[in-house]
Every structure is written in structure tokens, then in C-alpha cells.
Amino acid sequence: MLRLQIHLTLPPWIGDVVDDGKRYLTDEERVGLAIELSRRNIEHNQGGPFGAAVFNGDGRVVSVGVNRVIPQTCSIAHAEMMAYMSAQQRLAAFRLNGDGNRYTLATSAQPCCQCYGATVWAGVDELLIGARAEDVEELTEFDEGPLPADWVGELERRGIAVRRDILREQARSVLATYGQSGRHY
């Protein structure tokens, strides 16, 4: 029988980490939250070492995501994808900034080719990144897939500002911990 419903979940510990009443005003606070989510995800053995969060223009958390590929048996359950899907459901909008408000995605590591593609259409105005793709591939066994040669320029041409290397060493530390753990998703 064909499945008529798709059900993805985030781990229950998310509520212990995310303060949805707080305003995360700096890029470092926002990426710091994404990195903390990635760290907790591997500590709890809930998926890969990736975290992401969508923020509104006031700096409040709209949604978060962590990598849930293995626990959810779903290859698209990447942190960014989970954050986008959750934000879109919460706001009842397939394009987040379609309402004229501004939204930011903060992620612990540079989006892979899948999450990059989703970023083009998700409706965010800004992308904040911790670790680079080369950090992910150096420190773990993940293959981040192909991106356009000028991927940053492609996003910026679509009105999405990109800032990289925010708390990069902290993000690399989580990736290194995961890579040394022997677990590989």
C-alpha cells in the first residue's frame, strides 16, 4: 500500500537547547546555536553532526533542524532541510519571505548540494555558515556533492547574502569529534 503521509520528527532534547523567546541578534549567536545543535545531535547519537536554524527579522527562532537521515530513514532529512520544512509549516508558506519579512538560515556547516538547491527557493534573505564543505569532507566521510563554481555569487544574484567562516573552528571541532567517533552515517 502506498504511504499517504510523510512524518519526520526532531529529537525531544531540542527544547532543552533552543530558547524561542530569545532574540539572537548577532551572526555569532545564530551560528553558535546551529553548532550547539550539531554537537548535541552527536552526543545523543541522533544523527550526523549538522545543525541549522531559521530566524526572523527580529532575531527570533522560527525553526531548527538537525541531521536525521538515519533515524528517519530519509535521505533529505538534513539539518537545513528539516529547518526549512519546519519553518514553512509553522508559517504556512512555501516561500518564507513571501510575506515581505526577512529570514536568515544559520547552519553549522556549508550546505551540501541538496541543501544549497533548497536554499535557492526556501525564501531566506541571508545564509550564515560555520564550517566549510572542505572541512566536512576533511574531518568526516561525508560527500557534500557538486556545487556551481560560483555558488556564493549564484545565491547573491538571487538576493541571498552569504557570510562564511562564522565560528568556523568551533564548527570544525564538532565535525572532528564526530569523525573520530567511528560512527558514520
Side-chain angles (χ1 to χ4, degrees), residues 72-100:
Q72 298 289 290
T73 318
C74 182
S75 64
I76 66 165
H78 289 196
E80 297 92 339
M81 301 295 279
M82 297 293 283
Y84 284 147
M85 289 186 286
S86 180
Q88 290 163 342
Q89 291 293 299
R90 181 175 181 183
L91 299 175
F94 65 88
R95 185 158 182 84
L96 299 176
N97 60 6
D99 62 4

PDB file of all heavy atoms in Angstrom, residues 72-100:
ATOM      1  N   GLN A  72      15.397   8.724  10.645  1.00  0.00           N
ATOM      2  CA  GLN A  72      14.133   8.906   9.951  1.00  0.00           C
ATOM      3  C   GLN A  72      14.067   8.127   8.629  1.00  0.00           C
ATOM      4  O   GLN A  72      13.049   8.192   7.939  1.00  0.00           O
ATOM      5  CB  GLN A  72      13.895  10.392   9.671  1.00  0.00           C
ATOM      6  CG  GLN A  72      13.803  11.234  10.930  1.00  0.00           C
ATOM      7  CD  GLN A  72      12.532  10.985  11.697  1.00  0.00           C
ATOM      8  OE1 GLN A  72      11.454  11.356  11.272  1.00  0.00           O
ATOM      9  NE2 GLN A  72      12.645  10.347  12.847  1.00  0.00           N
ATOM     10  N   THR A  73      15.150   7.432   8.281  1.00  0.00           N
ATOM     11  CA  THR A  73      15.231   6.672   7.035  1.00  0.00           C
ATOM     12  C   THR A  73      14.830   7.556   5.852  1.00  0.00           C
ATOM     13  O   THR A  73      13.963   7.220   5.045  1.00  0.00           O
ATOM     14  CB  THR A  73      14.325   5.416   7.090  1.00  0.00           C
ATOM     15  OG1 THR A  73      14.448   4.807   8.367  1.00  0.00           O
ATOM     16  CG2 THR A  73      14.723   4.415   6.028  1.00  0.00           C
ATOM     17  N   CYS A  74      15.495   8.701   5.769  1.00  0.00           N
ATOM     18  CA  CYS A  74      15.111   9.699   4.768  1.00  0.00           C
ATOM     19  C   CYS A  74      16.345  10.501   4.345  1.00  0.00           C
ATOM     20  O   CYS A  74      16.892  11.262   5.148  1.00  0.00           O
ATOM     21  CB  CYS A  74      14.044  10.614   5.350  1.00  0.00           C
ATOM     22  SG  CYS A  74      13.443  11.838   4.187  1.00  0.00           S
ATOM     23  N   SER A  75      16.761  10.336   3.104  1.00  0.00           N
ATOM     24  CA  SER A  75      17.992  10.978   2.639  1.00  0.00           C
ATOM     25  C   SER A  75      17.910  12.500   2.592  1.00  0.00           C
ATOM     26  O   SER A  75      18.944  13.157   2.524  1.00  0.00           O
ATOM     27  CB  SER A  75      18.377  10.446   1.253  1.00  0.00           C
ATOM     28  OG  SER A  75      17.396  10.794   0.294  1.00  0.00           O
ATOM     29  N   ILE A  76      16.721  13.065   2.618  1.00  0.00           N
ATOM     30  CA  ILE A  76      16.635  14.528   2.609  1.00  0.00           C
ATOM     31  C   ILE A  76      16.511  15.129   4.008  1.00  0.00           C
ATOM     32  O   ILE A  76      16.395  16.342   4.141  1.00  0.00           O
ATOM     33  CB  ILE A  76      15.485  15.045   1.714  1.00  0.00           C
ATOM     34  CG1 ILE A  76      14.129  14.661   2.266  1.00  0.00           C
ATOM     35  CG2 ILE A  76      15.665  14.602   0.284  1.00  0.00           C
ATOM     36  CD1 ILE A  76      12.997  15.426   1.636  1.00  0.00           C
ATOM     37  N   ALA A  77      16.576  14.335   5.045  1.00  0.00           N
ATOM     38  CA  ALA A  77      16.409  14.833   6.414  1.00  0.00           C
ATOM     39  C   ALA A  77      17.701  15.460   6.937  1.00  0.00           C
ATOM     40  O   ALA A  77      18.165  15.167   8.037  1.00  0.00           O
ATOM     41  CB  ALA A  77      15.910  13.723   7.336  1.00  0.00           C
ATOM     42  N   HIS A  78      18.262  16.364   6.128  1.00  0.00           N
ATOM     43  CA  HIS A  78      19.443  17.121   6.534  1.00  0.00           C
ATOM     44  C   HIS A  78      19.002  18.263   7.447  1.00  0.00           C
ATOM     45  O   HIS A  78      17.828  18.677   7.422  1.00  0.00           O
ATOM     46  CB  HIS A  78      20.146  17.693   5.313  1.00  0.00           C
ATOM     47  CG  HIS A  78      20.823  16.668   4.472  1.00  0.00           C
ATOM     48  ND1 HIS A  78      21.760  16.994   3.534  1.00  0.00           N
ATOM     49  CD2 HIS A  78      20.697  15.313   4.420  1.00  0.00           C
ATOM     50  CE1 HIS A  78      22.188  15.903   2.932  1.00  0.00           C
ATOM     51  NE2 HIS A  78      21.549  14.861   3.452  1.00  0.00           N
ATOM     52  N   ALA A  79      19.922  18.808   8.217  1.00  0.00           N
ATOM     53  CA  ALA A  79      19.581  19.860   9.182  1.00  0.00           C
ATOM     54  C   ALA A  79      18.892  21.047   8.511  1.00  0.00           C
ATOM     55  O   ALA A  79      17.864  21.530   9.000  1.00  0.00           O
ATOM     56  CB  ALA A  79      20.835  20.321   9.916  1.00  0.00           C
ATOM     57  N   GLU A  80      19.450  21.511   7.398  1.00  0.00           N
ATOM     58  CA  GLU A  80      18.862  22.664   6.719  1.00  0.00           C
ATOM     59  C   GLU A  80      17.468  22.343   6.197  1.00  0.00           C
ATOM     60  O   GLU A  80      16.552  23.163   6.306  1.00  0.00           O
ATOM     61  CB  GLU A  80      19.756  23.109   5.542  1.00  0.00           C
ATOM     62  CG  GLU A  80      21.132  23.581   5.960  1.00  0.00           C
ATOM     63  CD  GLU A  80      22.183  22.473   5.964  1.00  0.00           C
ATOM     64  OE1 GLU A  80      21.814  21.280   6.035  1.00  0.00           O
ATOM     65  OE2 GLU A  80      23.375  22.812   5.901  1.00  0.00           O
ATOM     66  N   MET A  81      17.321  21.161   5.629  1.00  0.00           N
ATOM     67  CA  MET A  81      16.020  20.761   5.082  1.00  0.00           C
ATOM     68  C   MET A  81      14.979  20.659   6.194  1.00  0.00           C
ATOM     69  O   MET A  81      13.835  21.099   6.024  1.00  0.00           O
ATOM     70  CB  MET A  81      16.143  19.428   4.345  1.00  0.00           C
ATOM     71  CG  MET A  81      17.138  19.449   3.193  1.00  0.00           C
ATOM     72  SD  MET A  81      16.672  20.535   1.859  1.00  0.00           S
ATOM     73  CE  MET A  81      15.524  19.476   1.010  1.00  0.00           C
ATOM     74  N   MET A  82      15.364  20.088   7.321  1.00  0.00           N
ATOM     75  CA  MET A  82      14.445  19.976   8.452  1.00  0.00           C
ATOM     76  C   MET A  82      14.045  21.368   8.949  1.00  0.00           C
ATOM     77  O   MET A  82      12.883  21.620   9.253  1.00  0.00           O
ATOM     78  CB  MET A  82      15.075  19.153   9.576  1.00  0.00           C
ATOM     79  CG  MET A  82      15.383  17.709   9.217  1.00  0.00           C
ATOM     80  SD  MET A  82      13.939  16.689   8.931  1.00  0.00           S
ATOM     81  CE  MET A  82      13.407  16.399  10.623  1.00  0.00           C
ATOM     82  N   ALA A  83      15.018  22.283   9.025  1.00  0.00           N
ATOM     83  CA  ALA A  83      14.720  23.652   9.468  1.00  0.00           C
ATOM     84  C   ALA A  83      13.800  24.352   8.475  1.00  0.00           C
ATOM     85  O   ALA A  83      12.844  25.031   8.873  1.00  0.00           O
ATOM     86  CB  ALA A  83      16.011  24.437   9.670  1.00  0.00           C
ATOM     87  N   TYR A  84      14.076  24.201   7.185  1.00  0.00           N
ATOM     88  CA  TYR A  84      13.213  24.821   6.171  1.00  0.00           C
ATOM     89  C   TYR A  84      11.797  24.254   6.239  1.00  0.00           C
ATOM     90  O   TYR A  84      10.815  25.004   6.245  1.00  0.00           O
ATOM     91  CB  TYR A  84      13.758  24.596   4.761  1.00  0.00           C
ATOM     92  CG  TYR A  84      14.943  25.449   4.381  1.00  0.00           C
ATOM     93  CD1 TYR A  84      15.917  24.953   3.531  1.00  0.00           C
ATOM     94  CD2 TYR A  84      15.087  26.757   4.842  1.00  0.00           C
ATOM     95  CE1 TYR A  84      17.003  25.732   3.154  1.00  0.00           C
ATOM     96  CE2 TYR A  84      16.179  27.532   4.474  1.00  0.00           C
ATOM     97  CZ  TYR A  84      17.130  27.009   3.620  1.00  0.00           C
ATOM     98  OH  TYR A  84      18.197  27.785   3.252  1.00  0.00           O
ATOM     99  N   MET A  85      11.681  22.937   6.272  1.00  0.00           N
ATOM    100  CA  MET A  85      10.348  22.326   6.288  1.00  0.00           C
ATOM    101  C   MET A  85       9.558  22.749   7.527  1.00  0.00           C
ATOM    102  O   MET A  85       8.367  23.054   7.443  1.00  0.00           O
ATOM    103  CB  MET A  85      10.455  20.804   6.213  1.00  0.00           C
ATOM    104  CG  MET A  85      10.894  20.307   4.850  1.00  0.00           C
ATOM    105  SD  MET A  85      10.871  18.507   4.704  1.00  0.00           S
ATOM    106  CE  MET A  85      12.299  18.039   5.662  1.00  0.00           C
ATOM    107  N   SER A  86      10.220  22.776   8.668  1.00  0.00           N
ATOM    108  CA  SER A  86       9.552  23.165   9.905  1.00  0.00           C
ATOM    109  C   SER A  86       9.104  24.626   9.858  1.00  0.00           C
ATOM    110  O   SER A  86       7.989  24.964  10.268  1.00  0.00           O
ATOM    111  CB  SER A  86      10.487  22.917  11.090  1.00  0.00           C
ATOM    112  OG  SER A  86       9.876  23.274  12.295  1.00  0.00           O
ATOM    113  N   ALA A  87       9.973  25.498   9.344  1.00  0.00           N
ATOM    114  CA  ALA A  87       9.616  26.918   9.229  1.00  0.00           C
ATOM    115  C   ALA A  87       8.456  27.107   8.262  1.00  0.00           C
ATOM    116  O   ALA A  87       7.525  27.882   8.534  1.00  0.00           O
ATOM    117  CB  ALA A  87      10.824  27.729   8.769  1.00  0.00           C
ATOM    118  N   GLN A  88       8.481  26.408   7.155  1.00  0.00           N
ATOM    119  CA  GLN A  88       7.414  26.542   6.161  1.00  0.00           C
ATOM    120  C   GLN A  88       6.084  26.060   6.724  1.00  0.00           C
ATOM    121  O   GLN A  88       5.044  26.677   6.489  1.00  0.00           O
ATOM    122  CB  GLN A  88       7.798  25.794   4.885  1.00  0.00           C
ATOM    123  CG  GLN A  88       8.930  26.495   4.151  1.00  0.00           C
ATOM    124  CD  GLN A  88       9.629  25.627   3.128  1.00  0.00           C
ATOM    125  OE1 GLN A  88       9.532  24.406   3.129  1.00  0.00           O
ATOM    126  NE2 GLN A  88      10.365  26.278   2.235  1.00  0.00           N
ATOM    127  N   GLN A  89       6.116  24.994   7.493  1.00  0.00           N
ATOM    128  CA  GLN A  89       4.887  24.512   8.136  1.00  0.00           C
ATOM    129  C   GLN A  89       4.401  25.503   9.193  1.00  0.00           C
ATOM    130  O   GLN A  89       3.209  25.806   9.260  1.00  0.00           O
ATOM    131  CB  GLN A  89       5.123  23.131   8.766  1.00  0.00           C
ATOM    132  CG  GLN A  89       5.321  22.029   7.751  1.00  0.00           C
ATOM    133  CD  GLN A  89       4.072  21.755   6.959  1.00  0.00           C
ATOM    134  OE1 GLN A  89       3.054  21.385   7.527  1.00  0.00           O
ATOM    135  NE2 GLN A  89       4.139  21.960   5.653  1.00  0.00           N
ATOM    136  N   ARG A  90       5.335  25.997  10.000  1.00  0.00           N
ATOM    137  CA  ARG A  90       4.952  26.935  11.067  1.00  0.00           C
ATOM    138  C   ARG A  90       4.336  28.208  10.496  1.00  0.00           C
ATOM    139  O   ARG A  90       3.362  28.733  11.032  1.00  0.00           O
ATOM    140  CB  ARG A  90       6.167  27.267  11.929  1.00  0.00           C
ATOM    141  CG  ARG A  90       5.845  28.200  13.072  1.00  0.00           C
ATOM    142  CD  ARG A  90       7.024  28.404  13.975  1.00  0.00           C
ATOM    143  NE  ARG A  90       6.660  29.286  15.076  1.00  0.00           N
ATOM    144  CZ  ARG A  90       7.497  29.703  15.992  1.00  0.00           C
ATOM    145  NH1 ARG A  90       8.757  29.300  15.975  1.00  0.00           N
ATOM    146  NH2 ARG A  90       7.108  30.509  16.945  1.00  0.00           N
ATOM    147  N   LEU A  91       4.934  28.708   9.406  1.00  0.00           N
ATOM    148  CA  LEU A  91       4.468  29.961   8.817  1.00  0.00           C
ATOM    149  C   LEU A  91       3.405  29.750   7.733  1.00  0.00           C
ATOM    150  O   LEU A  91       2.881  30.719   7.193  1.00  0.00           O
ATOM    151  CB  LEU A  91       5.656  30.736   8.233  1.00  0.00           C
ATOM    152  CG  LEU A  91       6.744  31.134   9.233  1.00  0.00           C
ATOM    153  CD1 LEU A  91       7.922  31.777   8.505  1.00  0.00           C
ATOM    154  CD2 LEU A  91       6.192  32.052  10.311  1.00  0.00           C
ATOM    155  N   ALA A  92       3.117  28.495   7.433  1.00  0.00           N
ATOM    156  CA  ALA A  92       2.142  28.155   6.378  1.00  0.00           C
ATOM    157  C   ALA A  92       2.496  28.861   5.077  1.00  0.00           C
ATOM    158  O   ALA A  92       1.653  29.490   4.433  1.00  0.00           O
ATOM    159  CB  ALA A  92       0.721  28.467   6.828  1.00  0.00           C
ATOM    160  N   ALA A  93       3.774  28.771   4.699  1.00  0.00           N
ATOM    161  CA  ALA A  93       4.259  29.422   3.487  1.00  0.00           C
ATOM    162  C   ALA A  93       5.374  28.589   2.866  1.00  0.00           C
ATOM    163  O   ALA A  93       6.328  28.244   3.560  1.00  0.00           O
ATOM    164  CB  ALA A  93       4.782  30.816   3.816  1.00  0.00           C
ATOM    165  N   PHE A  94       5.265  28.288   1.584  1.00  0.00           N
ATOM    166  CA  PHE A  94       6.328  27.525   0.929  1.00  0.00           C
ATOM    167  C   PHE A  94       7.542  28.391   0.643  1.00  0.00           C
ATOM    168  O   PHE A  94       8.637  27.886   0.453  1.00  0.00           O
ATOM    169  CB  PHE A  94       5.822  26.847  -0.355  1.00  0.00           C
ATOM    170  CG  PHE A  94       5.410  27.814  -1.432  1.00  0.00           C
ATOM    171  CD1 PHE A  94       6.334  28.282  -2.346  1.00  0.00           C
ATOM    172  CD2 PHE A  94       4.094  28.238  -1.523  1.00  0.00           C
ATOM    173  CE1 PHE A  94       5.951  29.172  -3.336  1.00  0.00           C
ATOM    174  CE2 PHE A  94       3.703  29.118  -2.509  1.00  0.00           C
ATOM    175  CZ  PHE A  94       4.637  29.595  -3.424  1.00  0.00           C
ATOM    176  N   ARG A  95       7.345  29.705   0.590  1.00  0.00           N
ATOM    177  CA  ARG A  95       8.453  30.647   0.440  1.00  0.00           C
ATOM    178  C   ARG A  95       8.414  31.558   1.656  1.00  0.00           C
ATOM    179  O   ARG A  95       7.502  32.381   1.810  1.00  0.00           O
ATOM    180  CB  ARG A  95       8.322  31.438  -0.853  1.00  0.00           C
ATOM    181  CG  ARG A  95       9.498  32.322  -1.106  1.00  0.00           C
ATOM    182  CD  ARG A  95       9.633  32.671  -2.580  1.00  0.00           C
ATOM    183  NE  ARG A  95      10.805  33.489  -2.801  1.00  0.00           N
ATOM    184  CZ  ARG A  95      12.030  33.019  -2.971  1.00  0.00           C
ATOM    185  NH1 ARG A  95      12.240  31.736  -2.989  1.00  0.00           N
ATOM    186  NH2 ARG A  95      13.035  33.835  -3.142  1.00  0.00           N
ATOM    187  N   LEU A  96       9.401  31.407   2.535  1.00  0.00           N
ATOM    188  CA  LEU A  96       9.360  32.078   3.836  1.00  0.00           C
ATOM    189  C   LEU A  96       9.200  33.582   3.722  1.00  0.00           C
ATOM    190  O   LEU A  96       8.373  34.165   4.405  1.00  0.00           O
ATOM    191  CB  LEU A  96      10.612  31.729   4.645  1.00  0.00           C
ATOM    192  CG  LEU A  96      10.790  30.239   4.958  1.00  0.00           C
ATOM    193  CD1 LEU A  96      12.110  30.009   5.677  1.00  0.00           C
ATOM    194  CD2 LEU A  96       9.620  29.713   5.767  1.00  0.00           C
ATOM    195  N   ASN A  97       9.987  34.227   2.877  1.00  0.00           N
ATOM    196  CA  ASN A  97       9.938  35.683   2.802  1.00  0.00           C
ATOM    197  C   ASN A  97       8.877  36.193   1.825  1.00  0.00           C
ATOM    198  O   ASN A  97       8.853  37.369   1.488  1.00  0.00           O
ATOM    199  CB  ASN A  97      11.306  36.276   2.479  1.00  0.00           C
ATOM    200  CG  ASN A  97      11.865  35.794   1.155  1.00  0.00           C
ATOM    201  OD1 ASN A  97      11.200  35.083   0.394  1.00  0.00           O
ATOM    202  ND2 ASN A  97      13.097  36.163   0.879  1.00  0.00           N
ATOM    203  N   GLY A  98       7.981  35.334   1.433  1.00  0.00           N
ATOM    204  CA  GLY A  98       6.890  35.739   0.559  1.00  0.00           C
ATOM    205  C   GLY A  98       5.970  36.755   1.203  1.00  0.00           C
ATOM    206  O   GLY A  98       5.235  37.466   0.516  1.00  0.00           O
ATOM    207  N   ASP A  99       6.014  36.845   2.529  1.00  0.00           N
ATOM    208  CA  ASP A  99       5.181  37.811   3.242  1.00  0.00           C
ATOM    209  C   ASP A  99       5.847  39.179   3.375  1.00  0.00           C
ATOM    210  O   ASP A  99       5.316  40.079   4.012  1.00  0.00           O
ATOM    211  CB  ASP A  99       4.809  37.279   4.630  1.00  0.00           C
ATOM    212  CG  ASP A  99       6.022  37.047   5.534  1.00  0.00           C
ATOM    213  OD1 ASP A  99       7.176  37.363   5.141  1.00  0.00           O
ATOM    214  OD2 ASP A  99       5.816  36.546   6.661  1.00  0.00           O
ATOM    215  N   GLY A 100       7.029  39.332   2.772  1.00  0.00           N
ATOM    216  CA  GLY A 100       7.743  40.609   2.829  1.00  0.00           C
ATOM    217  C   GLY A 100       8.680  40.743   4.010  1.00  0.00           C
ATOM    218  O   GLY A 100       9.432  41.706   4.099  1.00  0.00           O
TER     219      GLY A 100
END
